[in-house]
Amino acid sequence: SAVISQKPSRDICQRGTSLTIQCQVDSQVTMMFWYRQQPGQSLTLIATANQGSEATYESGFVIDKFPISRPNLTFSTLTVSNMSPEDSSIYLCSARESGRETQYFGPGTRLLVL
Amino acid sequence: TQLLEQSPQFLSIQEGENLTVYCNSSSVFSSLQWYRQEPGEGPVLLVTVVTGGEVKKLKRLTFQFGDARKDSSLHITAAQPGDTGLYLCAGANDYKLSFGAGTTVTVRA
């Protein structure tokens, strides 16, 4: 199984600022994903982080708001840009190996925007 | 609209009782995964079921994947307070997971 860590674990940010969340996997994985979980709700996929190319965003999420990097097979970042209180949420990194069905999640980053 | 419908949304039972959580969809999935999430933590994978009709047991937890690979159930026998948490089912198609809304389970001592 893959072990995933995220930094920071939580943050409180001011409206209009940006926060970059880091995700590190302990092994090389083909696929990495970013999810959002709003309070009391289930997980919504933001985008698939592609190594060496632009991320693939889901409907309702755009690159200008959530730029993503994936420089190698073990690391990815998600930036939440120009934050507003509506961005307050848990942001979760996830990873999966090609050809395998199992997907693992990091502990999440709890973001509060004031 | 959730692709996967989970029921019930909330479940509160006494220690020692049994419980079942259901996950239903009109879509066929290549696999289905169950996670448990505790407050302040990320989802932790419990099981992945791949074959239609498959039954997997994990100590007191029994997972079943429907024959048509559209639905699944999670049964917990003799629940304990440590089973308390948010249970999430997620269906996989291509490389994407679609999550149900979750079932919040509370086991009272």
Side-chain angles (χ1 to χ4, degrees):
Chain A
S1 64
V3 177
I4 302 173
S5 59
Q6 288 184 231
K7 286 195 294 188
S9 59
R10 59 181 67 241
D11 207 342
I12 301 173
C13 300
Q14 295 298 319
R15 181 195 301 260
T17 63
S18 297
L19 175 71
T20 296
I21 302 167
Q22 298 180 7
C23 175
Q24 180 74 54
V25 188
D26 70 343
S27 59
Q28 292 187 345
V29 289
T30 308
M31 314 201 76
M32 293 181 73
F33 309 89
W34 287 96
Y35 288 80
R36 181 171 72 183
Q37 186 177 28
Q38 295 184 304
Q41 298 190 23
S42 189
L43 280 72
T44 301
L45 180 62
I46 297 172
T48 303
N50 301 309
Q51 195 250 334
S53 64
E54 194 171 283
T56 305
Y57 289 84
E58 297 299 304
S59 176
F61 299 96
V62 295
I63 187 171
D64 290 347
K65 176 67 176 178
F66 297 102
I68 288 170
S69 78
R70 189 171 173 199
N72 57 50
L73 292 176
T74 64
F75 186 79
S76 178
T77 67
L78 168 74
T79 299
V80 186
S81 303
N82 188 24
M83 288 184 284
S84 67
E86 292 71 35
D87 295 319
S88 297
S89 189
I90 301 172
Y91 291 87
L92 293 150
C93 175
S94 180
R96 181 179 180 182
E97 293 182 358
S98 177
R100 298 218 170 176
E101 296 288 342
T102 299
Q103 193 163 321
Y104 298 95
F105 285 83
T109 295
R110 279 140 196 84
L111 172 62
L112 176 63
V113 184
L114 303 177
Chain B
T1 303
Q2 296 283 155
L3 193 60
L4 280 160
E5 298 291 334
Q6 266 188 256
S7 62
Q9 186 177 358
F10 298 97
L11 197 54
S12 180
I13 60 171
Q14 200 69 34
E15 181 176 5
E17 294 182 340
N18 302 332
L19 69 95
T20 302
V21 178
Y22 300 93
C23 181
N24 296 298
S25 176
S26 57
S27 300
V28 176
F29 296 105
S30 59
S31 70
L32 196 136
Q33 301 177 28
W34 285 92
Y35 295 84
R36 183 171 69 213
Q37 185 177 24
E38 298 187 29
E41 300 181 10
V44 175
L45 180 69
L46 295 174
V47 78
T48 301
V49 285
V50 179
T51 306
E54 181 177 5
V55 176
K56 279 192 175 178
K57 292 192 175 184
L58 186 67
K59 297 184 180 178
R60 294 178 292 101
L61 279 61
T62 301
F63 304 86
Q64 186 162 6
F65 200 14
D67 290 341
R69 290 188 287 129
K70 294 181 179 181
D71 53 82
S72 181
S73 64
L74 157 61
H75 182 80
I76 301 179
T77 303
Q80 299 175 2
D83 295 323
T84 293
L86 175 66
Y87 288 81
L88 295 158
C89 67
N93 266 328
D94 294 327
Y95 59 87
K96 294 184 184 180
L97 282 185
S98 299
F99 279 84
T103 297
T104 300
V105 172
T106 303
V107 182
R108 306 183 304 273

